[in-house]
């Protein structure tokens, strides 16, 4: 397999450069990539050092590197580009490609300011994401029955169906207040809404999962044989799905969905606002 | 303030389109943006419906929309582009701009496959992120003293300095196993490494924070006056910083850093691998 080295160069945290670069190289699965993030390249001096390191790595590997950049300041960007192009690097700059058309459309020059995307621009918005995360932690797995009035949504599903990571992701990425409650015992047997959620029915969203995947996840946890047994897992998954259908509760299947996808599907279905700051 | 509507159109979760689009419009703070995510546009039929909705919204608002797209399939992308350009939308597609140069560089056609970026491509890698999150939850705030051997790092800092969100973000975004332990009481007074961490000194990373910001965060929590008093906050922040300096523990200042920045700075300093799948 051909091996190539990819650099994500940023004047800040590197999250945007990583997101861009990953989504592009994921389209070439015949190649094998070594990925290196080079964050906080905020001055021309740092740019010179970072670019020299990239060139050294390129010479060691013997093939030209790919450099995805989200460098906002023109002098920093030009410095990196100039130096890495000495080793025939492919230099792709995100802002360079898109700020021009946007400036023309808006009739405004952009600020060319560093770190405005994943920094703290607005403490109120930022603190809301942190509050949302604290809310998710405090209302995880039915641990606190008093705060559902404040919740944007309450995710329900059987143990290990993905409730906790989805709620935390909804909080950190979108500032959404998501509680979660486990489906188990007599709630599953009687296919009823868990009593603590009676007054919050309109906020309930379900997670289903296929038995095979759930067994895998439960086995990894290693807490007793019955918990991951085919019979138990099949009973729980069937009952949960039937509960959602019978009571007309919207639900999404977690079997082949990453947490990003689950979060997006749930927001799409509930029409909750995505309070993104990043 | 000029008001413009921005659409993030994706054949999948929309996370990539949102991240990239946000980082661009953040460069224009003289404008006011309404942001709408249109995920799961995976077929030509869905493309027609999505584009028609965008045009309706544009006509209501009276100004041309900006459409950021990460549509991978060419027919879907062309359908959206053609329809939204009827209302003079500015259509910017991320793959369109960069896949060409990459295909040329690699001498390979790309797969044009949908959802490879934030989907589950590789269960082992994906499950590792979820395990990392479970680890962070199980080892939050000193709640479990037995697992530090498995940790990639142990974050320490005073209450509300940002340990928990940073650990969860490191887990969800980078698959890093991050525990955290609170600095308080006699550990602060004596400026010593908390005893449960004696054997894991090389994994410790500190968080500092300015007193003013910490008071704000603690007041919001509302658990007693002393907790957020100037005297207490000033004592704790000073002692924590002095502890890190005295014992030569690397630390990062959380005062003006978002969790994305904190995570990135810590990974940079510890040289831990970013096990990104997204």
């Amino acid at each position: 397999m051909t091996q190539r080295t990819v650099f994500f160069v940023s004047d800040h945290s590197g999250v945007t450069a990583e997101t861009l670069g990953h989504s592009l190289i994921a389209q070439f699965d015949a190649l094998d990539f070594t990925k290196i993030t080079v964050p906080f390249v905020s001055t021309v001096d740092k740019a010179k050092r970072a670019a020299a390191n990239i060139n050294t790595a390129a010479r060691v590997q013997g093939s030209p590197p790919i450099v995805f950049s989200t460098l906002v300041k023109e002098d920093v960007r030009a410095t990196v580009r100039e130096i890495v192009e000495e080793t025939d690097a492919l230099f792709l700059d995100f802002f360079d490609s898109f700020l021009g058309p946007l400036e023309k459309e808006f009739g405004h020059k952009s600020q060319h300011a560093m770190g405005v995307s994943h920094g703290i621009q607005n403490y109120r918005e930022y603190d809301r994401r942190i509050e949302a995360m604290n809310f998710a932690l405090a209302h995880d797995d039915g641990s606190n029955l008093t705060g559902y009035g404040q919740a944007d949504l309450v995710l329900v599903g059987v143990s290990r169906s993905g409730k906790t990571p989805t709620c935390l992701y909804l909080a950190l990425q979108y500032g959404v207040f998501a509680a979660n409650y486990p489906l188990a015992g007599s709630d599953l047997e009687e296919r009823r809404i868990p009593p603590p959620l009676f007054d919050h029915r309109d906020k309930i969203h379900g997670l289903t999962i296929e038995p095979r995947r759930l067994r895998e996840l439960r086995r990894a946890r290693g807490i007793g044989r019955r918990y991951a047994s085919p019979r138990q897992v099949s009973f729980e998954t069937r009952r949960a799905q039937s509960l959602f259908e019978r009571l007309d509760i919207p639900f999404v299947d977690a079997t082949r969905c990453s947490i990003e996808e689950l979060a997006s599907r749930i927001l799409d279905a509930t029409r909750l606002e995505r309070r993104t700051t990043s």
Side-chain angles (χ1 to χ4, degrees), chain A:
Chain A
M1 219 188 232
T2 315
Q3 165 74 42
R4 297 296 295 262
T5 304
V6 176
F7 294 89
F8 309 113
V9 183
S10 163
D11 47 41
H12 223 73
S13 69
V15 174
T16 306
E18 287 170 349
T19 303
L20 171 71
H22 278 288
S23 70
L24 288 165
I25 63 175
Q27 295 293 330
F28 296 91
D29 72 358
L31 302 171
D32 185 29
F33 296 102
T34 302
K35 300 171 240 172
I36 299 174
T37 303
V38 188
F40 306 112
V41 180
S42 51
T43 64
V44 169
D45 267 0
K46 288 182 183 167
K48 284 180 188 164
R49 273 199 303 270
N53 287 340
I54 290 172
N55 282 1
T56 305
R59 288 194 186 101
V60 169
Q61 210 202 12
S63 64
I66 316 299
V67 181
F68 292 105
S69 139
T70 51
L71 296 167
V72 174
K73 282 171 73 181
E74 274 166 32
D75 53 349
V76 174
R77 189 197 302 160
T79 304
V80 173
R81 178 195 289 267
E82 205 172 287
I83 298 174
V84 300
E85 285 183 347
E86 287 168 15
T87 51
D88 295 323
L90 177 65
F91 181 86
L92 297 172
D93 187 87
F94 174 65
F95 288 120
D96 212 15
S97 309
F98 294 111
L99 279 185
L102 285 169
E103 288 181 346
K104 206 174 135 210
E105 172 73 28
F106 296 146
H108 272 275
K109 282 297 273 180
S110 67
Q111 292 154 259
H112 289 280
M114 293 184 293
V116 292
S117 180
H118 287 97
I120 307 187
Q121 292 318 302
N122 174 334
Y123 274 104
R124 226 172 59 193
E125 267 187 52
Y126 177 75
D127 287 353
R128 193 183 160 90
R129 285 171 61 202
I130 301 301
E131 274 170 46
M133 190 216 61
N134 288 328
F135 182 85
L137 288 175
H139 299 85
D140 184 41
D141 210 30
S143 60
N144 181 340
L145 307 179
T146 58
Y148 297 137
Q150 221 193 321
D152 291 315
L153 68 94
V154 184
L155 209 53
V156 302
V158 302
S159 173
R160 288 279 135 154
S161 54
K163 302 183 296 295
T164 304
T166 306
C167 286
L168 286 170
Y169 186 82
L170 282 165
L172 286 171
Q173 183 77 4
Y174 295 112
V176 165
F177 279 52
N180 76 78
Y181 194 93
L183 284 183
S186 51
D187 297 332
L188 272 187
E189 274 155 30
E190 296 170 27
R191 290 179 299 160
R192 68 174 183 200
I193 289 180
L197 303 180
F198 278 171
D199 293 342
H200 308 282
R201 205 194 141 115
D202 53 327
K203 293 181 181 178
I204 302 178
H205 206 93
L207 282 188
T208 58
I209 186 164
E210 286 176 13
R212 182 192 297 240
R213 172 79 175 139
L214 185 60
R215 285 194 66 202
E216 231 172 75
L217 292 164
R218 288 192 172 181
R219 267 198 305 254
R221 198 168 180 185
I223 56 165
R225 208 176 280 176
R226 182 163 175 273
Y227 181 65
S229 73
R231 193 175 162 163
Q232 182 64 19
V233 161
S234 151
F235 168 78
E236 291 187 32
T237 52
R238 230 177 22 231
R239 280 295 167 105
Q241 172 133 2
S242 152
L243 184 159
F244 299 144
E245 285 168 351
R246 195 167 78 96
L247 300 174
D248 212 16
I249 290 170
F251 63 93
V252 52
D253 182 354
T255 311
R256 280 165 210 87
C257 275
S258 68
I259 46 171
E260 290 86 345
E261 293 170 295
L262 287 175
S264 190
R265 282 186 199 277
I266 291 165
L267 290 179
D268 210 38
T270 54
R271 309 241 151 242
L272 279 172
E273 196 191 339
R274 294 166 192 241
R275 303 185 191 94
T276 38
T277 54
S278 59

